[in-house]
Amino acid sequence: MLTKEKAAELDGQARKTRILVLRMLNAIGAGHLGGSLSVVEALTLLYFHRMNVRPAEPRWPDRDRFVMSKGHAGPALYATLAHKGYFPADECLTLNQPGTNFPSHCDMNKTLGVDMTAGSLGQGLSAAVGMALAGRLDGKDYRVYCLIGDGEAQEGQIWEALMYASQQKLDNLTVFIDYNKLQLDGPLSEINSLEPLAAKTEAFGFFTQSIDGHDFFAIDQAVEAALKTAGRPSLIILNTIKAKGACFAEGQVSSHHQAVSDDDLKSALAELDAKGGSN
Ligand SMILES: Cc1ncc(C[n+]2csc(CCOP(=O)(O)OP(=O)(O)O)c2C)c(N)n1
Ligand SMILES: [Mg+2]
């Protein structure tokens, strides 16, 4: 259950995360802005309200797992983990530079708190299914959360993993689809539509919910409903806006891999500050 006070706190965290993502991309000049900013609320809700993790003990065996299958959204995960206390926020500003622990795509061998390496789209969900199955076989009660992109969901391996999770009745697995309706170079509707998406994932055996992916109350309720669902895995369709919160890029195809100039950074920060109120 999410109180109004907690939601306001999460709102402040999400804003901090957006600001750090923008600063990271500005430091290197460009990066995956759109797909990072569309998932900020989901990450914030998970790490600051729902997931049982220990930043001082990143590989704690009983922790809840998070797999960022759309590994190009690494910057959003790094910013979230930094604010959660895994490492100092300023370290993230070395994003994608030689020798960094913060590559543009998630790498579990480089970044504290990252549970799975990703970047080749379509594979992370299979790893998450393995983690969920392992948890059950080991008698652990951790949960596994996995976030995939909508363009990523065009990969056949995603549907193989969904089938197998359902066959195994993995009710400790919750999958999120970031349904920002845009892939690398255009809208899914013009390239390879997923519709009717909710009907498809239901037919694959997943308890499916479709919600506003920027609404903390909606995400929290959906996560709660997934927790209470026994005997089958869950899937939450996050209806989102690509590059949400970056005024110079919101909703644009070009935000997928986007330059962030000093002027862009300034205007985005001014807008985020203006929306920030007292947080
Ligand atoms: C197997 C594979 N093919 C192609 C790519 C290149 N690529 C990186 S991101 C991307 C688009 C993904 O679209 P989507 O999942 O909708 O990402 P989002 O909108 O969340 O950024 C592509 C094609 C890749 N990383 N892996
Ligand atoms: Mg997309």
Side-chain angles (χ1 to χ4, degrees), residues 35 38 70 72 149-152 178-184 186 188 240 242 256:
S38 54
K70 46 171 245 177
H72 59 281
D150 48 8
E152 181 183 14
D178 178 13
Y179 204 13
N180 57 29
K181 324 288 190 294
L182 297 177
Q183 55 192 93
L184 188 149
L188 274 84
T240 59
K242 203 154 174 170
H256 182 75

Side-chain angles (χ1 to χ4, degrees), residues 235-248:
L235 187 141
I236 300 171
I237 299 170
L238 300 167
N239 291 286
T240 59
I241 297 169
K242 203 154 174 170
K244 171 82 172 167
C247 51
F248 59 94

Side-chain angles (χ1 to χ4, degrees), residues 201-221:
T201 57
E202 269 289 334
F204 269 65
F206 275 66
F207 168 52
T208 300
Q209 304 172 80
S210 180
I211 60 165
D212 177 348
H214 299 301
D215 178 339
F216 286 118
F217 290 101
I219 307 170
D220 190 56
Q221 279 168 23

Side-chain angles (χ1 to χ4, degrees), residues 150-255:
D150 48 8
E152 181 183 14
Q154 295 162 345
E155 292 278 357
Q157 187 175 342
I158 292 292
W159 300 89
E160 296 174 41
L162 291 175
M163 267 195 290
Y164 191 65
S166 173
Q167 159 80 19
Q168 292 294 333
K169 302 183 172 35
L170 293 178
D171 53 13
N172 54 351
L173 173 70
T174 301
V175 180
F176 295 93
I177 296 191
D178 178 13
Y179 204 13
N180 57 29
K181 324 288 190 294
L182 297 177
Q183 55 192 93
L184 188 149
D185 58 357
L188 274 84
S189 59
E190 292 173 12
I191 298 169
N192 194 1
S193 169
L194 298 176
E195 288 301 327
L197 178 56
K200 282 178 187 160
T201 57
E202 269 289 334
F204 269 65
F206 275 66
F207 168 52
T208 300
Q209 304 172 80
S210 180
I211 60 165
D212 177 348
H214 299 301
D215 178 339
F216 286 118
F217 290 101
I219 307 170
D220 190 56
Q221 279 168 23
V223 168
E224 177 73 23
L227 276 173
K228 288 186 173 150
T229 299
R232 59 180 180 148
S234 283
L235 187 141
I236 300 171
I237 299 170
L238 300 167
N239 291 286
T240 59
I241 297 169
K242 203 154 174 170
K244 171 82 172 167
C247 51
F248 59 94
E250 230 182 65
Q252 296 175 27
V253 173
S254 54
S255 75

Side-chain angles (χ1 to χ4, degrees), residues 12-120:
Q13 286 294 350
R15 192 161 35 253
K16 273 174 61 183
T17 293
R18 286 201 163 88
I19 290 170
L20 185 52
V21 168
L22 285 158
R23 289 178 61 218
M24 287 158 78
L25 268 51
N26 171 252
I28 184 85
H32 290 106
L33 183 70
S36 293
L37 294 188
S38 54
V39 296
V40 169
E41 279 77 14
L43 285 172
T44 303
L45 188 284
L46 286 176
Y47 278 94
F48 288 90
H49 188 54
R50 283 287 173 178
M51 281 174 63
N52 189 19
V53 292
R54 294 179 177 172
E57 210 184 329
R59 295 283 164 103
W60 175 45
D62 293 340
R63 71 190 184 285
D64 290 337
R65 269 71 167 167
F66 176 78
V67 177
M68 178 67 93
S69 190
K70 46 171 245 177
H72 59 281
L77 181 57
Y78 307 153
T80 305
L81 293 173
H83 295 139
K84 185 73 182 170
Y86 285 84
F87 37 76
D90 280 354
E91 283 186 13
C92 301
L93 299 175
T94 61
L95 180 79
N96 217 17
Q97 289 171 23
T100 185
N101 287 325
F102 303 92
S104 66
H105 296 66
C106 296
D107 185 334
M108 64 184 287
N109 296 310
K110 287 211 161 74
T111 315
L112 291 176
V114 170
D115 284 319
M116 181 46 63
T117 299
S120 185

Side-chain angles (χ1 to χ4, degrees), residues 110-160:
K110 287 211 161 74
T111 315
L112 291 176
V114 170
D115 284 319
M116 181 46 63
T117 299
S120 185
L121 294 171
Q123 300 182 347
L125 181 56
S126 299
V129 168
M131 290 176 189
L133 189 57
R136 192 168 67 198
L137 292 171
D138 290 343
K140 303 264 190 198
D141 65 0
Y142 64 72
R143 285 198 74 80
V144 181
Y145 297 96
C146 179
L147 176 49
I148 67 176
D150 48 8
E152 181 183 14
Q154 295 162 345
E155 292 278 357
Q157 187 175 342
I158 292 292
W159 300 89
E160 296 174 41

